[in-house]
Amino acid sequence: MNLERWERRSAEYVSDHLDLPEDALLQTMSIHLIGSRMMIVENFRNLLEYTDLLIRVQGKEGRLRIEGRCLCIREYHQETIRITGYIRQISFEQRHGSAGKDGT
Amino acid sequence: MNFWYRYISGYVRVSLEGIAPERFLNLCHNKGYAIWDLRYGREKNTCCMLLQDFLQIRPLARKTGTKVRVLHRYGAPFAMRRHRKRKGAILGITLFFVLLYLMSDHIWAIDVEGNHRYTEDTLLQFVASTGISHGMKRDAVSCEELEKAIRNQYEDITWVSARIDGTRLVVQIKENDTGVSVTAKETEPADLVADFDGRVRSIVTRAGTPMVHVGDQVQKGDVLISGLLTIYDDGGGVAATHEVRADGDIVVEYRTHYERQILRSGSRRVYDREAKRWFAMFGGWRIQLLPFLPVGEREFDRVEETGQLCLLDNFYLPVYYGTVRQRFYRKESFFYTDEQLQALAEYQIYADLSQLENLGVEIIQNNVTITLRENDCICQGELVLWKSIGTYRQISVEEHT
């Protein structure tokens, strides 16, 4: 078991048993959705792709795929990214690139 | 706040052209450069960034092969450059902000809240006597010492709070509304003594030993109910003496002379014209929008209403503004007929006696007569009044022995 995996598993264990927020311990992406017009993503690593129809964001655990139209990045800060537009679908991509289950 | 920071720092809207503008954005993100309002275009994306960040992105743009072009410039640095020839305006704006900054360190308004019995002027005069005045530095004001001084000076102010809000010193007080009888020392033994001369009409004793009877004449300072309670034994000797806080209701009757003169003729002011002028004051300077009306031979008085300039909620500045009303009047003589004078005198007596009754005095007999004379009217007579008296004083053993 490599160190990264061990760290993740122990963090999951602590999070489950002590009822602590996972995003703080595991540094996973935290997504706040306000209706279908605004979205705030925290704990992301970088931006993979940006068009007005699709935005892909890289997180520690995987990738986030946001589809819609007239998508615009209102804020692109060190810790948060704020996206506005008509959000149609949010999904997670696995590490190998295939689209995963829908997030919402 | 974010907007003002960006505006003062200056920011640019740039277009990003290249194969992978996302890579350029990620490098900017890793460096900590703020990017906002990123919009997609078919050929090029556009975004905004701070001027200070824009000056450092050249290596990143070269590394990622992104062409960065400035589309628009916004903010104070560009505005100043654009208006650099208007030196007076720039100097004025700079001076304004410098003055604003310097003045924000001083006290420009002192407010008193919660006062009922003490007027604002009285309290402000006391605050001034402690060395606190308009224009002094905020750091030099010690709120704790001011609170202590007010508490020591005014015994019936039960709670004081002084705080500095922006450039305003706010003194909040709470007065003892329930009167002197309810104090922290109200359980201490005390005598009930007369605070007014009169003949005792009724006395009801709840605690202590009554020292006066109905019909007795009492002078100010006489003990009405003693706080010493003596217990006698069967043989008539003193078994014990207890000190209590005397309590009871004592009503005295007294006579007073009432006299008032009302003139039959005289002159009064009739205001017939008014002019309102706006003004502003800063330090010793006063600017008025329009001059006063020419006075000539006419008589007038001036009524001034002043306010203080306040930015936001609590940033008071030493700039005052207001209106001054110039009111012209002519003097008109009047003459009352007998009927008018009689009615006026009756009304005046009624008003005076109502005022007395509001003070808790009961009017038992009213012998006031109205005498109309050639030039005036005299209202005079004796009033018989009942009044509830009694105030507390420490028990003095000498008076009882």
Side-chain angles (χ1 to χ4, degrees), chain B residues 30-65:
Chain B
N30 290 338
K31 289 271 182 187
Y33 302 154
I35 289 168
W36 70 94
D37 213 6
L38 178 59
R39 290 178 196 167
Y40 177 78
R42 257 182 211 289
E43 291 175 4
K44 53 192 176 183
N45 295 342
T46 62
C47 70
C48 292
M49 56 170 48
L50 288 175
L51 178 61
Q52 64 206 37
D53 295 342
F54 174 74
L55 298 174
Q56 294 174 4
I57 59 165
R58 189 184 288 264
L60 307 183
R62 196 177 296 144
K63 192 174 175 181
T64 56

Side-chain angles (χ1 to χ4, degrees), chain B residues 277-311:
Chain B
R277 298 285 181 263
W278 284 89
F279 70 91
M281 280 193 301
F282 177 73
W285 296 83
R286 186 186 166 106
I287 302 162
Q288 191 167 304
L289 278 186
L290 291 168
F292 285 120
L293 293 177
V295 178
E297 297 287 313
R298 301 214 55 188
E299 286 180 296
F300 66 95
D301 56 18
R302 282 180 187 166
V303 182
E304 199 169 290
E305 287 173 27
T306 312
Q308 190 171 6
L309 187 67
C310 176
L311 300 179

Side-chain angles (χ1 to χ4, degrees), chain A residues 44-52 72-79, chain B residues 2 6 22 25-26 29-30 32-40 45:
Chain A
F44 69 98
R45 277 193 174 161
N46 52 36
L47 186 69
L48 295 174
E49 192 178 343
Y50 169 63
T51 66
D52 61 339
C72 171
I73 296 178
R74 285 282 169 196
E75 307 276 348
Y76 186 46
H77 284 173
Q78 200 77 10
E79 284 152 12
Chain B
N2 215 1
R6 287 169 181 172
E22 289 89 354
L25 291 171
N26 285 329
H29 171 248
N30 290 338
Y33 302 154
I35 289 168
W36 70 94
D37 213 6
L38 178 59
R39 290 178 196 167
Y40 177 78
N45 295 342

